[in-house]
């Protein structure tokens, strides 16, 4: 463990992830509006230099994340990586003090939750009864989000698409953990079980929906906040309900988790109300 390497690498990775989101949001505003899950959006974006540059920034973020995770403890690296939300807001340029406050509440709440919750235990055995309840619930959330996005414009559409993207990212992360366990038993074990194929479907769909979410609203902050929050929370939910993990219990940890979630809710509320206004004001000043 080397914190002198892990901490700068984690913060640097978060900065690159924030830059990635800001560049992708800018690129999605420069192409024509597409329906949710329409692959043509990626074709349009592939012709934008700023979007291609975002992929390079993301690659640097992934490399620094790997360096941080291999040189520092997960309990430290995870909270530092979520500051990517704050970097994304800063790089987007569409913010004021209230927007920064909302982003700060989200980052502080999510970091605190990850620090306090710390899932423990490990199990790769999954029964149909254990998988179905969460799978049905997540599928229902996705269906509702896509229905809302199809009928409501602006910030509501962006938030609905962001929820769908965050859910799929979280599912991908949870299943990727299971796939990694299977890979440790050999490539044939990995390829003969379903989790890797579910990741191959959920991951790209989540990415496409994130681009839809960025395109749906001039303000980046609300959509990015929802995606950033739901990704680890859904992953933790899968770890608990599918992989047999447990959150830290006891009065203190439970109170800490509740307060952290309240901070998250407050941050998203502030961003959903204020960020679109800040973005509109900036657009008026620049026109």
């Amino acid at each position: 463990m080397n914190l002198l390497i892990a901490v700068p690498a984690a913060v640097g990775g978060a900065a690159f992830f924030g830059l990635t989101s800001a560049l992708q949001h800018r690129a999605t505003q420069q192409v024509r509006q597409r329906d949710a899950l329409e692959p043509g959006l990626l074709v349009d974006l592939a012709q934008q230099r700023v979007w291609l540059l975002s992929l390079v920034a993301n690659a640097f973020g992934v490399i620094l994340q790997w360096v941080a995770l291999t040189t520092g403890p997960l309990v430290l690296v995870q909270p530092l990586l979520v500051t990517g939300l704050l970097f994304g807001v800063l790089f987007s340029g569409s913010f004021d003090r209230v927007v920064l406050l909302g982003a700060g509440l989200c980052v502080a709440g999510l970091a605190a939750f990850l620090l306090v919750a710390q899932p423990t235990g490990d199990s790769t055995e999954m029964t149909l009864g254990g998988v179905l309840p969460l799978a049905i619930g997540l599928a229902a959330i996705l269906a509702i989000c896509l229905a809302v996005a199809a009928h409501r414009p602006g910030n509501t559409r962006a938030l609905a698409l962001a929820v769908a993207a965050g859910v799929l990212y979280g599912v991908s992360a949870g299943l990727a953990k299971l796939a990694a366990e299977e890979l440790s038993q050999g490539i044939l074990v990995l390829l003969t079980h379903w989790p890797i194929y579910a990741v191959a479907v959920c991951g790209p769909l989540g990415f496409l929906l994130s681009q839809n979410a960025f395109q749906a609203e001039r303000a980046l902050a609300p959509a990015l906040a929802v995606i950033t929050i739901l990704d680890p929370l859904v992953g933790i939910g899968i770890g608990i309900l599918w992989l047999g993990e447990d959150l830290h219990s006891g009065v203190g940890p439970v109170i800490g988790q509740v307060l952290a979630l309240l901070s998250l809710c407050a941050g998203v509320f502030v961003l959903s109300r204020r960020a679109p206004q800040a973005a509109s004001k900036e657009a008026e000043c620049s026109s």
Side-chain angles (χ1 to χ4, degrees), residues 7-149:
V7 172
V11 174
F16 273 110
F17 287 141
L19 178 60
T20 297
S21 299
L23 292 175
Q24 289 179 350
H25 178 257
R26 184 181 304 175
T28 59
Q29 300 296 304
Q30 297 173 0
V31 297
R32 70 187 182 93
Q33 189 84 18
R34 294 279 191 171
D35 293 333
L37 293 177
E38 188 175 348
L41 175 59
L42 297 182
V43 177
D44 297 339
L45 290 172
Q47 302 173 46
Q48 299 289 322
R49 290 183 179 178
V50 67
W51 190 77
L52 296 176
L53 182 60
S54 77
L55 300 183
V56 176
N58 188 69
F60 278 107
V62 170
I63 292 172
L64 288 173
Q65 179 186 29
W66 177 81
V67 171
L69 289 172
T70 55
T71 56
L74 183 64
V75 66
L76 172 68
V77 173
Q78 266 192 318
L80 287 176
L81 287 173
V82 304
T83 59
L85 167 60
L86 194 55
F87 282 112
V89 172
L90 291 172
F91 285 132
S92 72
S94 300
F95 64 89
D96 56 20
R97 292 180 180 178
V98 178
V99 173
L100 288 177
L101 172 63
L105 286 172
C106 289
V107 169
L110 183 54
F113 184 85
L114 294 174
L115 283 169
V116 175
Q118 284 303 301
T120 56
D122 190 19
S123 172
T124 58
E125 297 181 3
M126 295 190 301
T127 63
L128 183 62
V131 171
L132 278 181
L134 181 60
I136 292 174
L138 293 176
I141 291 174
L142 289 175
I144 292 171
C145 288
L146 292 176
V148 171

Side-chain angles (χ1 to χ4, degrees), residues 144-160:
I144 292 171
C145 288
L146 292 176
V148 171
H151 295 92
R152 299 293 297 275
N155 193 42
T156 302
R157 171 180 165 82
L159 291 177

